[in-house]
Amino acid sequence: MRVIVVGAGLGGLTLAQGLRRAGIDVVVYEREEPRGRPQGVSMHFDDRGMTALRACLPPGHVAMVEATMGGPREQALTLSETDGELTVERSQSLDGTKGPARPGRQVDRPLLRAVMLTGLEDTVRFGAPFARFQQLADGTVRAWSADGRTEVADVLVGADGIGSAVRRQYLPHVQVVDTGKRMVMGATPLRRVVGTGLPELIGHSAARAQVRGTMMAMGILRFTQPPVAARTECLPGLDSRAVADAEDYVMWALPVTEEQLGTAESPAAVWGQAQELVSGLPETLRTLVDSAWPDRTVVLRNGMIPPPPVWPAGSVTLIGDAIHVTPGFGGNLAMQDAHRLCAQLVQAARGEKELHAAIATYEDVMRHENFTTPAASRPAEAAVVSRGSGG
Ligand SMILES: Cc1cc2nc3c(=O)[nH]c(=O)nc-3n(C[C@H](O)[C@H](O)[C@H](O)COP(=O)(O)OP(=O)(O)OC[C@H]3O[C@@H](n4cnc5c(N)ncnc54)[C@H](O)[C@@H]3O)c2cc1C
């Protein structure tokens, strides 16, 4: 079996690692260059991401991630202001009973991605944007990259995020709704906020400050083991640049609108805009943003995908943000999709299941868990729409 994965994000790389471990021939097209656009700062990693990681990646990779995660995150704090100081107004357990948030740990996103890329040097084609596909009469799929190169595979997986070119061709009726909301995310060395009281106040918890009409989310990543030492011990093949400058930091996020962001695009310009947005907030929050690494400031768009009607399974499928978007947990869900699809493709490759039946099983579970409207959560009763065959 040969599989083309489009997108070297969390979902695509988890899938590629899992397929490779199972001896399945896989290639990944990634439009960015290896050190291209930053893909985030840190993320909350829960049991779904961890289960997928353990199932799909080799033990040394898993050990590297586990060794460098932050401490257990079991509480979500709401901070408010008392006499100009930040204080904890409310603490809520992240036990899964009061919302979708689950307990987990903070993971450094660039480091996680570098770990996932380790061993896939011959598998990921950087600077290779996917352009289109055509489903062939024998059930295989031909994919084109933007430079005109083509390749045929048994399965094409769109793991190309919210703007997915695979989804736009395969399920053209599925539209992304731009909420107009944006999130500016940045990171500040922990040493720069020592003395403000913030590290002691929030510990390993997720924190959300609601002060003077502004909301700001925060979390500290204290690497359990220094990444340089963990690399030597767990994954010497990891690119040493991924750990060279690693130090503990505070991740912060500010919800903004497109209008508030103005024309700011480069990390430094976005950082400047963030400084302006917090200029009227208590000193601790101003220090947090003023002392951030300018080049690690990113803007993330918040889109949503309304639940689509069921489509018949074929040789093309989608995982992660390419088909469902959940800003706070989407990385975990993309990895969970990758794990589940990988398990199905392995069964098909071993001849234990027909290929399209295997993909249908994956898609039914994925739809059932990620889309909650009645039409999408009852696949058997939902309307079936046709898909684009390409070509
Ligand atoms: C503010 C914010 C905070 C978040 N925090 C968390 C969190 O704490 N925990 C969590 O689990 N999730 C979090 N998420 C969600 C998470 O970031 C996403 O759900 C996750 O990145 C989705 O992974 P993916 O692999 O599906 O897609 P992506 O990570 O978007 O990867 C897609 C890849 O495809 C590539 N690509 C795109 N088009 C093409 C093309 N045509 N050809 C080739 N390659 C292409 C892109 O360059 C990219 O590498 C957050 C999201 C936001 C917005």
Side-chain angles (χ1 to χ4, degrees), residues 377-389:
S377 60
R378 295 200 305 270
E381 297 165 32
V384 174
V385 298
S386 61
R387 56 190 192 227
S389 61

Side-chain angles (χ1 to χ4, degrees), residues 229-247:
R231 172 180 173 269
T232 308
E233 208 174 285
C234 309
L235 195 61
L238 171 67
D239 186 341
S240 59
R241 289 172 297 182
V243 293
D245 301 323
E247 63 171 299

Side-chain angles (χ1 to χ4, degrees), residues 6-13 29-32 37 39 42-46 73 106 109 113 128-131 159-166 168 183-185 251 253 300-302 319-322 324-335:
V6 181
L10 298 178
L13 292 176
Y29 294 1
E30 170 54 51
R31 76 175 166 200
E32 304 285 335
R37 186 179 62 90
Q39 300 198 340
S42 68
M43 65 178 265
H44 181 77
F45 206 60
D46 64 30
R73 177 180 268 196
Q106 283 294 101
R109 217 169 146 143
R113 190 158 183 267
F130 160 87
D160 45 348
I162 188 164
S164 174
V166 177
R168 278 186 275 123
M183 188 74 88
V184 174
M185 289 182 85
M251 179 281 296
L300 300 168
R301 285 164 177 264
N302 276 356
I319 64 172
D321 277 14
H324 51 78
V325 183
T326 318
F329 316 100
N332 287 280
L333 299 181
M335 292 177 66

Side-chain angles (χ1 to χ4, degrees), residues 211-214 216 254 277-286:
V211 285
R212 304 183 196 174
T214 299
M216 191 168 170
L254 275 170
L277 289 167
V278 300
S279 59
L281 298 191
E283 189 182 351
T284 302
L285 299 180
R286 289 201 313 271

Side-chain angles (χ1 to χ4, degrees), residues 29-342:
Y29 294 1
E30 170 54 51
R31 76 175 166 200
E32 304 285 335
E33 296 298 336
R35 298 185 84 77
R37 186 179 62 90
Q39 300 198 340
V41 178
S42 68
M43 65 178 265
H44 181 77
F45 206 60
D46 64 30
D47 56 303
R48 294 166 290 195
M50 207 57 233
T51 301
L53 190 84
R54 290 191 181 127
C56 295
L57 276 85
H61 292 57
V62 178
M64 180 71 203
V65 176
E66 288 182 329
T68 52
M69 286 175 157
R73 177 180 268 196
E74 287 157 356
Q75 301 287 327
L77 310 177
T78 304
L79 309 182
S80 59
E81 188 184 7
T82 312
D83 301 329
E85 299 290 328
L86 289 178
T87 50
V88 176
E89 182 186 303
R90 205 169 57 242
S91 170
Q92 187 175 309
S93 171
L94 290 178
D95 58 5
T97 59
K98 295 182 192 69
R102 300 180 180 204
R105 291 171 183 256
Q106 283 294 101
V107 173
D108 182 63
R109 217 169 146 143
L111 178 55
L112 176 64
R113 190 158 183 267
V115 169
M116 287 184 167
L117 280 165
T118 306
L120 294 181
E121 292 78 7
D122 299 337
T123 304
V124 180
R125 283 192 207 146
F126 287 102
F130 160 87
R132 66 186 175 96
F133 69 84
Q134 180 184 23
Q135 297 196 74
L136 305 176
D138 63 358
T140 58
V141 191
R142 181 183 295 279
W144 275 259
S145 26
D147 62 6
R149 279 204 292 177
T150 76
E151 201 165 1
V152 174
D154 300 288
V155 185
L156 173 72
V157 181
D160 45 348
I162 188 164
S164 174
V166 177
R167 183 198 62 238
R168 278 186 275 123
Q169 180 179 348
Y170 190 51
L171 303 175
H173 55 283
V174 177
Q175 300 291 327
V176 174
V177 179
D178 187 343
T179 60
K181 293 180 184 156
R182 306 285 180 262
M183 188 74 88
V184 174
M185 289 182 85
T188 306
L190 188 59
R191 61 187 153 79
R192 301 295 297 271
V193 294
V194 166
T196 63
L198 188 69
E200 298 76 16
L201 190 69
I202 62 179
H204 294 304
S205 303
R208 178 183 288 251
Q210 297 275 12
V211 285
R212 304 183 196 174
T214 299
M215 197 286 268
M216 191 168 170
M218 286 161 278
I220 297 178
L221 175 52
R222 293 180 179 87
F223 293 106
T224 299
Q225 191 178 341
V228 172
R231 172 180 173 269
T232 308
E233 208 174 285
C234 309
L235 195 61
L238 171 67
D239 186 341
S240 59
R241 289 172 297 182
V243 293
D245 301 323
E247 63 171 299
D248 297 348
Y249 63 84
V250 189
M251 179 281 296
W252 48 266
L254 275 170
V256 294
T257 59
E258 230 173 339
E259 293 73 42
Q260 283 174 310
L261 208 53
T263 53
E265 264 183 33
S266 69
V270 173
W271 173 59
Q273 199 67 19
Q275 285 180 294
E276 248 176 63
L277 289 167
V278 300
S279 59
L281 298 191
E283 189 182 351
T284 302
L285 299 180
R286 289 201 313 271
T287 305
L288 188 58
V289 176
D290 289 347
S291 311
W293 285 293
D295 60 347
R296 290 206 203 168
T297 316
V298 292
V299 178
L300 300 168
R301 285 164 177 264
N302 276 356
M304 52 114 27
I305 300 180
V310 175
W311 61 92
S315 310
V316 179
T317 192
L318 297 151
I319 64 172
D321 277 14
I323 187 64
H324 51 78
V325 183
T326 318
F329 316 100
N332 287 280
L333 299 181
M335 292 177 66
Q336 184 177 58
D337 283 355
H339 173 203
R340 288 176 172 159
L341 178 59
C342 182

